[in-house]
Amino acid sequence: MSLRDYTFWFVVGSQYLYGPEVLETVASRAQEMADKLNASGKLPCKVVYKVTAKTSKEITDVIRDANHDESCAGIITWCHTFSPSKMWINGLVNLQKAWCHFATQYNREIPNDEIDMDFMNLNQAAHGDREHGFIGARLRAPRKVIAGYWQDADVQERLGKWMRAAAGAAFSRSLKVMRFGDNMREVAVTEGDKVEVQAKLGWQVNTWPVGELADGIAAVTQAEEDAMMREYESLYDIATDNLDAVRYQAREEVAMKKMLDREGCRAFSNTFQDLYGMKQLPGIATQHLLATGYGYGAEGDWKVGAMTAIIKFMTEGQKGGSAFMEDYTYHLVPGQEYSLGAHMLEVCPSVAAERPRIEVHPLGIGGKEDPARLVFEGHAGSAVVVSLVDMGGRLRLICQDIECVKPIMPMPNLPVARVMWRAMPDLKTGLECWILAGGAHHTVLSYDVDAEQMKDWARMMDIEFVHISRDTTTESLEHELFLNDLAWKLK
Ligand code: MN
């Protein structure tokens, strides 16, 4: 399924107290609101008006149907009138989809001349949404609350961003990850409890033999290799005479894609320590797979591979780009404090500022032939870096706001793609916070999601979330981590 295939069900709370005329008005307005929201162009997925619910049975029924509908990624609830909340309990305790309480109102203005008690009884969202909010709080139900006028662009945009997070949660629950080889020897942060991850996030993380991939590479036909080379030539500048190296990457990509698609996997990991039967570490092969929507993690880092796939899915149709990334080295000149992110090869060209070049250079580690890779600079702009770590007993998602810049120097001898950024709130504080939180060197760098969306996603998956922002201090973060540790031990 693509992002656009998901739907969100609009469920409007009411009761029989008001008589049929009011209920008909509520239902027709709810349909009108769904239609106008869909026509706004601000939402990535369709809103489907389902019911003006007046009884516990209607609510329980619609939530059961939502749970069983694969295309439904969440419900959006709102109370045009007053809806007594005990009617919602039996439904909400069984809700398995994302929930947004949309605290809005049909009319924007209080009509000075028209307003009377009939108007007040029909238009009492201010009243009904508080009753509705209480039951969400009382049940400790994971939910998003979005308040504001439903025709305002900023309100619609927030609803759209929440929809992307909810679709990401649905995608997560069906995600399969293909591991070629194990994690890099002795590395801790790329490890994780795959059973816990499957229970919480839904990921099916399994391994396939690298030897099978090597056989697949050998079996790629000349026509398949030629077609992939034409694709590379259409997208990238060839800046090497070693076309044989590029052709080998094309064969690797064809073979990896076949295995991924055969098994229904949308993310993969590999490691330079296990390239049995392969001539090169995949470079452009992995980079181009990333550009077409697959997730990837190096050194066996299947967690970052899966997160890359999820964020790419959430941001379908957006233009900023999302990439597997690694914090590599710092520029610590006062007033010019930047991180330089890169990897051995595998940065996704979706974040490129210019048309990438295909180059071939030796790789200092792995003992294989010189791999072909895409070399480019990342573009300027606001972004986040995201890391999922296994704390033992729970998962923690860390998200840091960053400001990417055009790299301040050309670095002509650096043979890999690179992105330069300023971490929030500043390099030193941001680094202290990242290290205190246990964030990995591998991240997903995305220009298209923001911290609020990642927080929404983490809440839907019931995992810990830590945000390092413009306002974070080392002291406040240490306090938050201490309290989180206590809270998650009790949960
Ligand atoms: Mn790495």
Side-chain angles (χ1 to χ4, degrees):
M1 280 176 76
S2 85
L3 178 74
R4 285 184 305 277
D5 297 327
Y6 281 106
T7 60
F8 288 81
W9 291 10
F10 192 30
V11 178
V12 178
S14 193
Q15 59 179 326
Y16 277 119
L17 184 69
Y18 308 107
E21 209 174 303
V22 165
L23 292 172
E24 277 165 30
T25 304
V26 170
S28 72
R29 287 179 173 184
Q31 182 65 58
E32 178 197 340
M33 289 166 73
D35 293 343
K36 285 188 176 164
L37 286 168
N38 289 328
S40 72
K42 295 283 194 294
L43 305 184
C45 308
K46 192 177 176 194
V47 177
V48 180
Y49 166 63
K50 278 287 168 183
V51 65
T52 296
K54 302 157 295 285
T55 63
S56 179
K57 183 170 187 324
E58 282 179 315
I59 293 162
T60 308
D61 285 351
V62 74
I63 286 177
R64 188 199 314 108
D65 291 348
N67 287 342
H68 290 178
D69 189 312
E70 275 194 69
S71 71
C72 174
I75 63 167
I76 299 166
T77 61
W78 168 59
C79 298
H80 193 313
T81 59
F82 194 82
S83 178
S85 278
K86 284 161 75 176
M87 291 191 329
W88 288 78
I89 294 172
N90 297 51
L92 287 176
V93 294
N94 290 310
L95 177 64
Q96 295 165 354
K97 299 294 172 84
W99 174 21
C100 176
H101 177 178
F102 191 25
T104 189
Q105 178 169 279
Y106 177 76
N107 54 301
R108 183 191 291 276
E109 295 175 23
I110 294 171
N112 181 50
D113 293 330
E114 186 193 331
I115 190 165
D116 56 14
M117 280 321 290
D118 285 343
F119 180 94
M120 294 283 268
N121 282 330
L122 176 61
N123 299 283
Q124 54 174 315
H127 177 188
D129 276 330
R130 280 169 165 74
E131 168 74 354
H132 194 56
F134 167 74
I135 206 62
R138 174 66 181 79
L139 296 174
R140 277 79 172 168
R143 66 201 158 130
K144 177 75 173 178
V145 181
I146 295 178
Y149 190 57
W150 59 284
Q151 297 203 56
D152 284 348
D154 61 329
V155 174
Q156 292 171 348
E157 276 160 18
R158 273 189 86 210
L159 187 62
K161 283 165 61 177
W162 171 81
M163 284 179 160
R164 288 179 179 275
F171 176 80
S172 178
R173 292 193 176 102
S174 63
L175 178 60
K176 294 183 180 178
V177 183
M178 181 171 282
R179 300 172 71 224
F180 292 113
D182 205 335
N183 296 57
M184 182 180 165
R185 284 187 285 275
E186 310 292 355
V187 176
V189 75
T190 61
E191 292 285 355
D193 179 342
K194 296 194 280 293
V195 174
E196 173 73 7
V197 164
Q198 188 161 353
K200 279 283 184 188
L201 310 179
W203 306 350
Q204 300 170 55
V205 183
N206 289 297
T207 190
W208 274 263
V210 179
E212 185 184 336
L213 176 59
D215 289 346
I217 294 167
V220 171
T221 67
Q222 192 61 48
E224 289 170 322
E225 179 189 313
D226 290 345
M228 190 57 74
M229 284 296 285
R230 284 195 296 276
E231 173 86 357
Y232 291 168
E233 285 161 12
S234 74
L235 295 168
Y236 315 123
D237 288 340
I238 295 188
T240 178
D241 296 328
N242 187 353
L243 287 182
D244 285 347
V246 185
R247 286 191 165 273
Y248 187 74
Q249 291 281 333
R251 301 175 74 85
E252 288 184 321
E253 177 167 355
V254 170
M256 288 194 291
K257 182 171 165 49
K258 274 188 198 169
M259 281 184 72
L260 289 164
D261 292 350
R262 185 191 76 203
E263 301 296 336
C265 294
R266 288 290 296 270
F268 68 106
S269 64
N270 60 17
T271 168
F272 68 91
Q273 287 175 332
D274 187 356
L275 297 174
Y276 180 83
M278 296 168 67
K279 291 182 185 172
Q280 299 177 25
L281 178 64
I284 184 173
T286 295
Q287 291 173 295
H288 187 255
L289 279 172
L290 275 160
T292 57
Y294 294 88
Y296 170 75
E299 289 94 56
D301 193 344
W302 48 271
K303 297 200 303 299
V304 79
M307 285 309 304
T308 308
I310 290 167
I311 290 174
K312 282 179 174 289
F313 184 84
M314 282 168 60
T315 58
E316 186 184 296
Q318 295 182 263
K319 299 289 181 226
S322 301
F324 163 67
M325 185 55 61
E326 178 167 283
D327 290 72
Y328 237 103
T329 197
Y330 302 122
H331 190 63
L332 292 172
V333 175
Q336 282 193 314
E337 287 146 320
Y338 295 107
S339 297
L340 182 66
H343 205 260
M344 286 191 287
L345 303 172
E346 307 94 338
V347 176
C348 177
S350 66
V351 302
E354 75 242 41
R355 189 174 157 98
R357 299 180 307 283
I358 301 176
E359 300 183 14
V360 178
H361 301 278
L363 192 66
I365 50 181
K368 293 286 176 174
E369 292 179 8
D370 301 351
R373 81 289 304 273
L374 298 171
V375 181
F376 55 86
E377 286 185 351
H379 66 87
S382 299
V384 294
V385 282
V386 175
S387 170
L388 180 74
V389 294
D390 186 331
M391 296 298 291
R394 74 175 188 277
L395 299 162
R396 170 181 286 168
L397 190 74
I398 305 156
C399 180
Q400 182 168 38
D401 299 334
I402 63 172
E403 189 65 32
C404 297
V405 298
K406 177 176 170 55
I408 60 169
M409 54 192 87
M411 299 174 276
N413 293 313
L414 183 66
V416 291
R418 72 295 300 266
V419 182
M420 188 172 267
W421 65 84
R422 189 181 304 116
M424 296 295 141
D426 58 75
L427 191 149
K428 282 182 279 187
T429 311
L431 172 57
E432 286 176 8
C433 290
W434 189 267
I435 286 174
L436 284 165
H441 52 288
H442 287 165
T443 59
V444 188
L445 184 151
S446 177
Y447 296 83
D448 292 328
V449 287
D450 63 21
E452 182 178 359
Q453 283 175 291
M454 295 318 300
K455 182 176 74 177
D456 290 345
W457 184 83
R459 185 191 289 132
M460 292 166 199
M461 308 323 292
D462 190 27
I463 63 170
E464 183 188 359
F465 179 75
V466 174
H467 181 203
I468 304 168
S469 73
R470 192 176 294 277
D471 302 322
T472 306
T473 64
T474 306
E475 188 181 11
S476 69
L477 188 94
E478 281 182 305
H479 188 61
E480 179 184 339
L481 294 175
F482 172 73
L483 293 179
N484 282 2
D485 252 335
L486 294 178
W488 283 90
K489 276 171 191 155
L490 295 172
K491 257 178 94 92

